[in-house]
């Protein structure tokens, strides 16, 4: 199981490979949120999201013989790109199972990064079954998108950075809002904060209607989403919390937050206007919660993980036009 030692070991393997993303701020966003807001832009990470961290961690942890046979992953796009890129840097093949309705840019980018893309219908087919079947047939190692200890460890390295950076910024107590799908990033950050910044509390943020983690935390047991598609926040749409991630989040995290599609679009426009950051809808939900759900957050400061920026031009233009300042 993932623990702090696994995260710290992953951080050692990631040195010189992953970018250490900064904490950014804007007085305009502070005023809107009613408190100090610090944003960690993982949209500036390799392949445009935090997923490169977990992919490199998992692939680099394999023994040489296993790694040489290749890896397989299933993803709507960001994990796909992270695994494809990390595998290519290791010189090994990667097969990626992606939903057919994933943004075309993410499918094209995954192929451009060297991944073999296998498409499926997310409403009628199971990506887990497809991925597991291909792994067994081809002798590939499955790199799960979130419910995998080494992936969680890699994502947790962002939490180690937050702990150091928050201390340098003079912030010792704050909610850390994290865009959440299956919970790999949230659980990894929560474990890192427990060990290095116990005054910082992770909180998962999700789209309304796909807030399985928020509902699971409220009920105390894993809850499923009624459907798996049909929301612009495609990067964080998952059936339910992970079997590994949920117990960690239940133990360490505060209540979940959920935002609307319009709020995610609004946050995208604000991030561009005030920070010149490009965010995708799923990567903007934590910022949307910090800025537009201020009454659900306590404290004088809040830290936001802007988890990804892989948005197509049409959708990004729509966000900017809808919420032009």
């Amino acid at each position: 199981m993932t623990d702090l030692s696994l995260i710290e070991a992953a951080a050692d393997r990631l040195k010189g490979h992953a970018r250490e993303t900064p904490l950014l701020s804007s007085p305009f966003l502070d005023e809107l949120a009613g408190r100090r807001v610090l944003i960690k832009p993982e949209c500036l990470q390799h392949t445009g999201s935090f997923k490169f961290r977990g992919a490199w961690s998992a692939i680099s942890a394999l023994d040489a013989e296993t790694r040489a046979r290749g890896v397989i992953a299933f993803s709507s796009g960001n994990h796909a790109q992270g695994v494809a890129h990390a595998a290519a840097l290791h010189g090994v093949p990667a097969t990626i199972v992606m939903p057919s309705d994933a943004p075309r840019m993410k499918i094209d980018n995954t192929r451009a990064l060297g991944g073999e893309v296998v498409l499926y219908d997310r409403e009628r087919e199971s990506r887990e079954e497809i991925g597991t079947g291909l792994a067994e047939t081809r002798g590939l190692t499955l790199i799960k998108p979130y419910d995998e200890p080494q992936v969680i460890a890699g994502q947790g390295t962002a939490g180690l950075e937050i702990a150091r950076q928050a201390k340098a910024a003079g912030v010792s107590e704050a909610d850390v809002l994290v865009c959440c799908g299956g919970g790999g990033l949230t659980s990894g950050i929560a474990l890192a904060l427990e060990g290095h910044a116990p005054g910082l509390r992770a909180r998962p943020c999700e789209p309304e209607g796909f807030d399985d983690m928020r509902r699971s935390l409220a009920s105390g047991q894993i809850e499923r989403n009624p459907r798996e598609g049909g929301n612009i926040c495609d990067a964080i749409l998952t059936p339910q919390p992970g079997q590994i991630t949920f117990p960690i989040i239940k133990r360490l995290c505060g209540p979940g937050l959920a935002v609307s599609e319009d709020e995610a679009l609004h946050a995208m426009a604000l991030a561009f206007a005030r920070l010149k950051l490009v965010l995708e809808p799923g990567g903007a939900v934590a910022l949307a919660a910090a800025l537009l759900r201020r009454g659900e957050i306590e404290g004088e400061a809040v830290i936001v993980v802007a988890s990804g920026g892989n948005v197509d031009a049409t959708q990004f233009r729509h966000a900017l036009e809808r919420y032009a300042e």
Side-chain angles (χ1 to χ4, degrees), residues 218-243:
S219 71
Q221 60 187 17
I222 290 179
E223 306 283 350
R224 287 187 63 88
N225 284 321
R227 55 197 177 100
E228 297 186 22
N231 189 284
I232 62 172
C233 300
D234 64 281
I236 55 174
L237 302 186
T238 53
Q240 64 184 49
Q243 296 292 328

Short mmCIF file of all heavy atoms in Angstrom, two decimals, residues 218-243:
data_model
loop_
_atom_site.label_atom_id
_atom_site.label_comp_id
_atom_site.label_asym_id
_atom_site.label_seq_id
_atom_site.Cartn_x
_atom_site.Cartn_y
_atom_site.Cartn_z
N ALA A 218 -19.66 11.44 2.46
CA ALA A 218 -20.84 11.76 3.27
C ALA A 218 -21.48 10.50 3.85
O ALA A 218 -21.96 10.50 4.99
CB ALA A 218 -21.85 12.55 2.44
N SER A 219 -21.50 9.42 3.06
CA SER A 219 -22.16 8.19 3.51
C SER A 219 -21.23 7.25 4.27
O SER A 219 -21.68 6.37 4.99
CB SER A 219 -22.75 7.44 2.31
OG SER A 219 -21.73 6.87 1.50
N GLY A 220 -19.93 7.43 4.06
CA GLY A 220 -18.96 6.56 4.72
C GLY A 220 -18.66 5.28 3.96
O GLY A 220 -17.92 4.43 4.44
N GLN A 221 -19.23 5.12 2.75
CA GLN A 221 -18.96 3.94 1.95
C GLN A 221 -18.92 4.33 0.47
O GLN A 221 -19.42 5.40 0.09
CB GLN A 221 -20.05 2.89 2.16
CG GLN A 221 -21.45 3.34 1.79
CD GLN A 221 -22.51 2.33 2.16
OE1 GLN A 221 -22.29 1.44 2.96
NE2 GLN A 221 -23.69 2.47 1.57
N ILE A 222 -18.32 3.49 -0.35
CA ILE A 222 -18.15 3.82 -1.76
C ILE A 222 -19.50 3.89 -2.48
O ILE A 222 -20.30 2.97 -2.42
CB ILE A 222 -17.23 2.79 -2.44
CG1 ILE A 222 -15.79 2.97 -1.93
CG2 ILE A 222 -17.28 2.93 -3.96
CD1 ILE A 222 -14.79 2.00 -2.51
N GLU A 223 -19.72 5.03 -3.15
CA GLU A 223 -20.93 5.26 -3.94
C GLU A 223 -20.55 5.36 -5.42
O GLU A 223 -19.50 5.90 -5.76
CB GLU A 223 -21.61 6.56 -3.50
CG GLU A 223 -21.93 6.66 -2.02
CD GLU A 223 -23.13 5.84 -1.62
OE1 GLU A 223 -23.84 5.34 -2.52
OE2 GLU A 223 -23.38 5.69 -0.40
N ARG A 224 -21.42 4.86 -6.28
CA ARG A 224 -21.18 4.92 -7.72
C ARG A 224 -21.90 6.11 -8.35
O ARG A 224 -22.93 6.57 -7.83
CB ARG A 224 -21.67 3.65 -8.42
CG ARG A 224 -20.81 2.42 -8.19
CD ARG A 224 -21.30 1.27 -9.05
NE ARG A 224 -21.17 1.55 -10.46
CZ ARG A 224 -20.08 1.30 -11.19
NH1 ARG A 224 -19.02 0.77 -10.63
NH2 ARG A 224 -20.06 1.57 -12.49
N ASN A 225 -21.37 6.57 -9.47
CA ASN A 225 -22.09 7.56 -10.27
C ASN A 225 -23.17 6.84 -11.09
O ASN A 225 -22.95 5.71 -11.54
CB ASN A 225 -21.14 8.30 -11.21
CG ASN A 225 -20.30 9.32 -10.47
OD1 ASN A 225 -20.79 10.01 -9.57
ND2 ASN A 225 -19.04 9.43 -10.84
N PRO A 226 -24.32 7.49 -11.31
CA PRO A 226 -25.38 6.84 -12.08
C PRO A 226 -25.01 6.65 -13.55
O PRO A 226 -25.56 5.79 -14.23
CB PRO A 226 -26.56 7.80 -11.92
CG PRO A 226 -25.96 9.12 -11.57
CD PRO A 226 -24.74 8.79 -10.77
N ARG A 227 -24.08 7.45 -14.06
CA ARG A 227 -23.61 7.31 -15.44
C ARG A 227 -22.14 7.70 -15.51
O ARG A 227 -21.61 8.30 -14.57
CB ARG A 227 -24.45 8.15 -16.41
CG ARG A 227 -24.53 9.61 -16.05
CD ARG A 227 -25.68 10.30 -16.78
NE ARG A 227 -25.80 11.70 -16.37
CZ ARG A 227 -25.33 12.73 -17.07
NH1 ARG A 227 -24.71 12.52 -18.23
NH2 ARG A 227 -25.48 13.97 -16.64
N GLU A 228 -21.49 7.38 -16.62
CA GLU A 228 -20.05 7.58 -16.72
C GLU A 228 -19.64 8.65 -17.72
O GLU A 228 -18.46 8.99 -17.79
CB GLU A 228 -19.36 6.26 -17.06
CG GLU A 228 -19.53 5.19 -15.99
CD GLU A 228 -18.73 3.94 -16.26
OE1 GLU A 228 -17.75 4.03 -17.03
OE2 GLU A 228 -19.09 2.88 -15.74
N GLY A 229 -20.58 9.17 -18.49
CA GLY A 229 -20.25 10.19 -19.48
C GLY A 229 -21.30 11.27 -19.52
O GLY A 229 -22.33 11.21 -18.83
N GLY A 230 -21.04 12.31 -20.34
CA GLY A 230 -22.02 13.36 -20.50
C GLY A 230 -21.73 14.60 -19.70
O GLY A 230 -22.66 15.31 -19.29
N ASN A 231 -20.46 14.90 -19.46
CA ASN A 231 -20.07 16.11 -18.73
C ASN A 231 -18.78 16.63 -19.35
O ASN A 231 -17.93 15.84 -19.77
CB ASN A 231 -19.88 15.81 -17.25
CG ASN A 231 -19.68 17.05 -16.40
OD1 ASN A 231 -18.62 17.65 -16.38
ND2 ASN A 231 -20.73 17.43 -15.68
N ILE A 232 -18.64 17.95 -19.39
CA ILE A 232 -17.45 18.53 -20.03
C ILE A 232 -16.17 18.26 -19.23
O ILE A 232 -15.08 18.39 -19.78
CB ILE A 232 -17.61 20.05 -20.25
CG1 ILE A 232 -17.77 20.79 -18.92
CG2 ILE A 232 -18.76 20.33 -21.19
CD1 ILE A 232 -17.74 22.30 -19.05
N CYS A 233 -16.30 17.87 -17.98
CA CYS A 233 -15.12 17.59 -17.14
C CYS A 233 -14.65 16.16 -17.35
O CYS A 233 -14.50 15.38 -16.39
CB CYS A 233 -15.44 17.86 -15.68
SG CYS A 233 -15.94 19.56 -15.32
N ASP A 234 -14.40 15.78 -18.59
CA ASP A 234 -14.12 14.39 -18.95
C ASP A 234 -12.91 13.82 -18.22
O ASP A 234 -12.85 12.62 -17.93
CB ASP A 234 -13.89 14.27 -20.46
CG ASP A 234 -12.66 15.05 -20.92
OD1 ASP A 234 -12.74 16.27 -21.07
OD2 ASP A 234 -11.60 14.42 -21.11
N ALA A 235 -11.94 14.67 -17.89
CA ALA A 235 -10.70 14.18 -17.29
C ALA A 235 -10.91 13.56 -15.92
O ALA A 235 -10.07 12.76 -15.48
CB ALA A 235 -9.69 15.32 -17.19
N ILE A 236 -12.01 13.90 -15.23
CA ILE A 236 -12.20 13.40 -13.87
C ILE A 236 -13.52 12.65 -13.72
O ILE A 236 -14.07 12.58 -12.61
CB ILE A 236 -12.07 14.52 -12.82
CG1 ILE A 236 -13.04 15.67 -13.11
CG2 ILE A 236 -10.64 15.04 -12.79
CD1 ILE A 236 -13.05 16.73 -12.01
N LEU A 237 -14.02 12.08 -14.80
CA LEU A 237 -15.23 11.26 -14.72
C LEU A 237 -14.84 9.81 -14.51
O LEU A 237 -14.24 9.18 -15.38
CB LEU A 237 -16.06 11.39 -16.01
CG LEU A 237 -16.52 12.80 -16.40
CD1 LEU A 237 -17.45 12.72 -17.62
CD2 LEU A 237 -17.21 13.52 -15.25
N THR A 238 -15.15 9.27 -13.35
CA THR A 238 -14.87 7.87 -13.05
C THR A 238 -16.12 7.22 -12.47
O THR A 238 -17.00 7.91 -11.95
CB THR A 238 -13.72 7.76 -12.03
OG1 THR A 238 -14.02 8.57 -10.88
CG2 THR A 238 -12.41 8.24 -12.63
N PRO A 239 -16.23 5.90 -12.55
CA PRO A 239 -17.45 5.24 -12.06
C PRO A 239 -17.65 5.39 -10.56
O PRO A 239 -18.76 5.59 -10.08
CB PRO A 239 -17.23 3.77 -12.43
CG PRO A 239 -16.19 3.78 -13.49
CD PRO A 239 -15.31 4.95 -13.21
N GLN A 240 -16.54 5.31 -9.79
CA GLN A 240 -16.64 5.33 -8.34
C GLN A 240 -15.23 5.53 -7.77
O GLN A 240 -14.24 5.37 -8.48
CB GLN A 240 -17.22 4.02 -7.81
CG GLN A 240 -16.35 2.80 -8.09
CD GLN A 240 -17.00 1.51 -7.65
OE1 GLN A 240 -18.15 1.25 -7.95
NE2 GLN A 240 -16.25 0.70 -6.90
N PRO A 241 -15.12 5.86 -6.49
CA PRO A 241 -13.79 5.98 -5.88
C PRO A 241 -13.04 4.65 -5.91
O PRO A 241 -13.64 3.58 -5.96
CB PRO A 241 -14.11 6.39 -4.43
CG PRO A 241 -15.45 7.03 -4.50
CD PRO A 241 -16.19 6.26 -5.56
N GLY A 242 -11.73 4.73 -5.85
CA GLY A 242 -10.91 3.54 -5.86
C GLY A 242 -10.94 2.78 -4.54
O GLY A 242 -11.15 3.37 -3.48
N GLN A 243 -10.70 1.48 -4.61
CA GLN A 243 -10.66 0.66 -3.41
C GLN A 243 -9.46 1.01 -2.54
O GLN A 243 -9.51 0.87 -1.31
CB GLN A 243 -10.60 -0.82 -3.80
CG GLN A 243 -11.82 -1.33 -4.54
CD GLN A 243 -13.07 -1.36 -3.66
OE1 GLN A 243 -12.98 -1.57 -2.46
NE2 GLN A 243 -14.23 -1.14 -4.29
#
